[in-house]
Amino acid sequence: MRDLNHNIVCRKVTRALFPGDPHRTILTITRRGGDRVTAEATSWQKEQVSRAYVHALATQGGYTICDWNVDKDGVDITLRSGGLMVDIQLKCTQKPRSVRGGFSFDLDIETYDKLRAPDRSAPGHLALLIVPPDIDRWVTHQPDSIVLACHGYWASLQGQKAANSSVTTAIHLPEHQLLTVSAMSTMFDAARRMTGVGSWGVN
C-alpha cells in the first residue's frame, strides 16, 4: 500500500517479535528508500505499559502487587502471595535483540548485582517486555475487549555469578520463559524454596 502524499509505503511482514506464532504479521511502515518510520516511545511510556502488563497477569493469578515509585533496590514491582514475595525489575524495548533460543538484554551492573545478591528476602528477576515498533499498535480496541499487543520474557538473577564487565552484562531471556501467570507461579516456587516456607513441620 502506498501513500503518495506522504511518500510512505506500508506492508505486512512476519516478524520475530512473536516467536511462538511465526505466522503472525504486523504492519510496518517505511519511507520510500527503505527507512522504517517509527516513533521511539519515551521511557515512561515503556515503563507504564510494562506495569500494566504485569498488573493484568498478577490480577488473573490472584497475586497482589506493590509498585515502587523509587527504583532504589533494583526493583520496580514486588508480587505477593501470602507471606511470599517476588521482586521484578521491568525493562521494555521496541527493538529486541534476538539471539539463539531467545533474547538478550544489556542490564546495568548495579541493578544486576542487587537482583543477584544472596542476602535478599525475595528472589530477584528481570522481566523484558517487547512491544511493537509502532506505538499505535500497543493497544487495540475490540468491541468486547482491549488487546495489549506485547509479550514478555523473564530470567531469574538470584544467586547468579558476578559479571565480568563493570558497566553492563548481557542477560539471556529464553524464549520458552514467557512472562505468564504460570511463570509467576514458578517464581513463587523459587521464593518458597529460598525462604523455606511450607517446609516447616507443624508442632
Side-chain angles (χ1 to χ4, degrees):
M1 178 172 66
R2 289 179 181 273
D3 183 332
L4 299 179
N5 293 328
H6 297 84
N7 202 31
I8 286 174
V9 179
C10 301
R11 60 182 178 179
K12 286 185 175 181
V13 297
T14 300
R15 298 289 298 168
L17 290 176
F18 307 100
D21 186 0
H23 302 296
R24 185 178 300 187
T25 59
I26 65 173
L27 184 67
T28 63
I29 303 175
T30 59
R31 294 188 187 283
R32 287 184 179 177
D35 295 336
R36 181 190 291 277
V37 179
T38 58
E40 183 70 25
T42 63
S43 59
W44 73 263
Q45 287 173 307
K46 294 178 182 177
E47 178 180 342
Q48 291 304 311
V49 76
S50 300
R51 291 180 184 273
Y53 181 92
V54 174
H55 270 261
L57 294 180
T59 299
Q60 186 180 29
Y63 307 123
T64 54
I65 291 183
C66 176
D67 280 287
W68 301 101
N69 54 15
V70 176
D71 185 5
K72 173 177 174 292
D73 299 308
V75 176
D76 290 313
I77 279 178
T78 296
L79 305 179
R80 183 156 190 154
S81 177
L84 296 173
M85 294 185 292
V86 168
D87 286 338
I88 302 176
Q89 168 71 213
L90 299 172
K91 297 294 182 183
C92 180
T93 180
Q94 294 170 277
K95 302 172 183 176
R97 189 166 75 239
S98 298
V99 297
R100 186 173 183 178
F103 298 91
S104 180
F105 184 85
D106 292 334
L107 184 64
D108 65 275
I109 294 298
E110 182 179 0
T111 301
Y112 176 74
D113 284 343
K114 289 176 179 177
L115 292 172
R116 73 180 185 86
D119 58 348
R120 303 178 62 85
S121 60
H125 301 81
L126 172 68
L128 177 65
L129 191 73
I130 298 175
V131 291
D134 182 357
I135 193 172
D136 289 339
R137 294 197 65 257
W138 287 16
V139 179
T140 302
H141 296 265
Q142 304 289 348
D144 59 351
S145 65
I146 292 178
V147 178
L148 200 58
C150 48
H151 54 126
Y153 300 85
W154 66 280
S156 174
L157 302 186
Q158 188 71 39
Q160 294 294 315
K161 297 179 180 177
N164 295 324
S165 170
S166 61
V167 182
T168 64
T169 185
I171 306 298
H172 180 238
L173 298 110
E175 62 184 3
H176 67 269
Q177 289 194 179
L178 283 165
L179 185 57
T180 62
V181 174
S182 178
M184 290 180 173
S185 177
T186 300
M187 294 177 188
F188 276 107
D189 288 341
R192 190 172 292 106
R193 289 193 299 272
M194 190 175 81
T195 60
V197 173
S199 62
W200 301 332
V202 178
N203 296 321

